[in-house]
Amino acid sequence: MLRWRIGFTFILVSLQFLVILCVSAQEPEEIDLSQPLTLEQCIQMGLEKATSMRNARLSLAIQELRVKNARADYFPLITSSGRYDFSDRLDFGFERENYDLGLTGRYTLWDNGQREVGYAQSKEGLKVTTNRNEGIKQNVILQITQAYYDVLKDAALVKVSEEVLERSKDNTKQIVALKEAGVLISADVATARVREANDELGLLNNQNWLQISQATLPRLMGLDPGLLITVAVDESFQLYLERGTIEKIDITVEEAIQTALENRPEFKETEAQIKQQEWSLILSRLQRWPRLSANANYNVNLDDYLHERQNFSDFRSWSVGASLNFTLFDGGVLGNRVKELNMQLEQSRENASDLERSVALGVRQSYLNLKRSEAAVEISNTQVENAKLSLDVVQGRLKVGKAIPLEVLDAQTSYAQVLTNRVNTFYDYKIAITRLQDAMGVLQ
């Protein structure tokens, strides 16, 4: 007996452990907002909490209910009724009261295929919603990715501004020292301090843009914009700074366009919309045909039964019948409806043809923008190297009295500008990749 109990306990604990494992596998991993977030974590949270995604899931649930309702047309409709009446013809002593109960059933025997068409139409509507939601999903991913890179870009620009400001302060100290040594004049010091103040203002502006981008990202993720979240260090930017090169996308524009034609959810959505309209057109034509229905009624006169207290079968009644409904004249409403649906279907087909051209143009534009960004990244890195070399040379000449402060300030301005351009071009390149993936319909 003890061995049996131990075995049973072991089996029970094992089952509980398996249940816990199954539940843990189904539930998404909780994201710790106090830790730096990766791009994948931000996208995961956005797809779960963003308003557009919540509404997309509700739209899908609504369309699924419509499919169920269309399927329900194949089943009979059964209703019940109860009635209590009194009037001046009744005894108000309530010795007799007028009760009546009824049960009615109705079923469509033949409708020339209208139910089948309605059901097929609702299923196409479900496909429309599903593919539309896929487009919404890709748009959410695109927005979050852009916002994430904006945070990284603004954070990098803040570091650049801090570096530039530190150089400005060092230059100001050198110019002050040269002025005290009698080499320079007070105007040179004033010019250096103006430059330092401008760099400090640039740092404040970049810090402000960083705060704005840090509020925009949680907003797109479905969180409170006031929630301060941090993002993980961008290893790709650090790797670019070390190597000075980037990995280019090896794909032709024709291949990109072909990928878009195969994967963009708009094409599948438009195809389902056209089929849905075709079913609507068929349904409107079928409404000209008669509809055959069967009816069954069962009634009980409780008033007389409760009063007489006799055989129950004497106070009940039933009936079964069939009805045929057919529109003889409607003033041309059905005919005009068919014409209207034909014209709407023609419009949809024309829009589908134009969609293919628009997608091809969008892919081509995104592809060309990416190629421009790739070239700009390489150029900006070369500019930084040359500007830094020029600044170091001018600063060295200033120390030995062979350069004027204005040359140093100009070189410093050029260096600050190319540092800023390098950050902007790199993240423009990252966003260009994302936009091309979105245009191709492969953004996941």
Side-chain angles (χ1 to χ4, degrees), residues 277-304:
Q277 288 181 314
E278 290 174 347
W279 285 120
S280 295
L281 178 60
I282 294 174
L283 183 61
S284 65
R285 289 171 175 168
L286 292 178
Q287 288 177 350
R288 298 173 178 270
W289 294 86
R291 187 183 185 97
L292 180 62
S293 302
N295 303 280
N297 296 281
Y298 182 85
N299 293 295
V300 177
N301 189 338
L302 286 181
D303 179 25
D304 294 337

Side-chain angles (χ1 to χ4, degrees), residues 176-226:
V176 169
L178 292 173
K179 186 261 181 185
E180 293 175 350
V183 178
L184 300 176
I185 61 177
S186 300
D188 295 326
V189 176
T191 302
R193 287 175 174 167
V194 169
R195 173 63 194 180
E196 181 180 335
N198 289 336
D199 291 338
E200 186 174 0
L201 180 60
L203 174 60
L204 291 175
N205 288 334
N206 286 331
Q207 288 174 338
N208 181 66
W209 282 113
L210 176 59
Q211 292 176 350
I212 293 175
S213 60
Q214 286 177 330
T216 303
L217 178 58
R219 164 67 180 84
L220 295 174
M221 294 167 56
L223 302 175
D224 184 2

Side-chain angles (χ1 to χ4, degrees), residues 149 196 202 209 255 264 305 309 315 330 382:
Y149 286 145
E196 181 180 335
W209 282 113
E255 292 173 340
R264 283 284 289 266
Y305 173 71
R309 300 291 182 178
F315 304 97
D330 63 356
T382 303

